[in-house]
Amino acid sequence: MEKIIDLRRSIKLVLFDVDGVLTDGTLYIGGSGEEYKPFNAKDGVAVSLLSHYGIKAGVISGKSSPALLYRVNQLKMDVIRTGCSEKSIALHEIAQGLGISASEVCFVGDDIIDYHAMNEAGVSYAPNDAHPLILKCADQVTKCAGGAGVAREVAEDILSAHGYSLHDMYSFMLKKDMFHDVTQ
C-alpha cells in the first residue's frame, strides 16, 4: 500500500474510460441511431476537484458519440481521445504531448480493452463491477460501481494521498458563491 500512496502523489493526469467507468455501461439508442449515456453528476465534481489541485483529467474511449463529446466538453476535460482501440498507445502519446511520463498518469478502466493502459499507467483503478481480469490488474478497486461516482472516488483517493482531508479537498467549494464554478 505504501508504494501505491507514493505513486498517487506523483499523478499529474487522470484518464478515464467512459462506458463502464463514467457510465454504468448502458447505452440508450433511439430509433434513428442517436445515443444517450447516463453520466453521474458526482463525476463532474471530481473533474473540478482535480483541476483545482493542478491535476489534469481526460477520457480515452473506444467509442465516440455526440453525448460523450458534449459531456466531456461541458466538464472542460483537458484530454479527449475517442474512437480509440489502442488505449495504451494513446496513453503514451498523451503523456508525451503533456511532457510527462506514463508513471505520472492514472488510468481508470473496467474492461479488457483497458488492460494494457492500466498496466502501463503509474496507478490504475477499476470500478468494483469491472471484468475479473481488470479487477486483478488494478492497483485499486473502487467501492463504487461504474457510473455511480467512480471518478469522484478516484479523485478523493488521489488527493487523500497528498494529505488532504475531505474537508480540505472541498474547502474551495465550501466558500460562499464558489460552487457556481463547479460543473456537476
Side-chain angles (χ1 to χ4, degrees):
M1 182 64 151
E2 188 63 36
K3 178 184 173 195
I4 191 83
I5 290 172
D6 291 343
L7 291 174
R8 288 181 295 169
R9 288 182 188 145
S10 67
I11 296 301
K12 295 182 179 169
L13 170 65
V14 181
L15 293 171
F16 300 96
D17 171 47
V18 177
D19 296 321
V21 172
L22 296 181
T23 77
D24 65 5
T26 301
L27 298 175
Y28 299 99
I29 301 176
S32 60
E34 68 275 16
E35 187 176 313
Y36 302 92
K37 293 179 182 280
F39 290 99
N40 191 308
K42 293 175 186 176
D43 292 334
V45 174
V47 174
S48 295
L49 192 60
L50 290 168
S51 178
H52 181 78
Y53 290 98
I55 300 171
K56 294 182 181 312
V59 296
I60 300 180
S61 178
K63 293 184 180 154
S64 182
S65 72
L68 167 59
L69 294 175
Y70 180 85
R71 182 62 173 157
V72 296
N73 284 311
Q74 180 186 44
L75 296 177
K76 300 177 182 120
M77 286 200 171
D78 301 291
V79 175
I80 303 167
R81 189 73 67 97
T82 62
C84 181
S85 60
E86 297 289 339
K87 294 183 181 184
S88 63
I89 293 171
L91 183 147
H92 285 282
E93 290 171 351
I94 292 164
Q96 184 178 13
L98 293 173
I100 62 176
S101 71
S103 66
E104 296 171 303
V105 177
C106 169
F107 189 84
V108 187
D110 75 304
D111 213 337
I112 301 305
I113 192 172
D114 304 316
Y115 182 84
H116 295 293
M118 291 178 72
N119 280 306
E120 294 181 30
V123 177
S124 64
Y125 291 80
N128 67 19
D129 61 343
H131 187 278
L133 291 173
I134 298 304
L135 291 171
K136 189 173 181 177
C137 82
D139 294 313
Q140 299 273 72
V141 175
T142 64
K143 294 176 186 163
C144 295
V150 170
R152 180 89 163 258
E153 188 175 334
V154 169
E156 289 175 355
D157 189 61
I158 289 170
L159 292 172
S160 73
H162 285 84
Y164 293 106
S165 69
L166 275 178
H167 189 272
D168 291 342
M169 283 178 216
Y170 290 97
S171 63
F172 73 100
M173 291 183 195
L174 297 174
K175 294 179 183 172
K176 194 172 185 174
D177 299 326
M178 285 302 294
F179 203 73
H180 68 279
D181 291 334
V182 176
T183 303
Q184 289 186 302

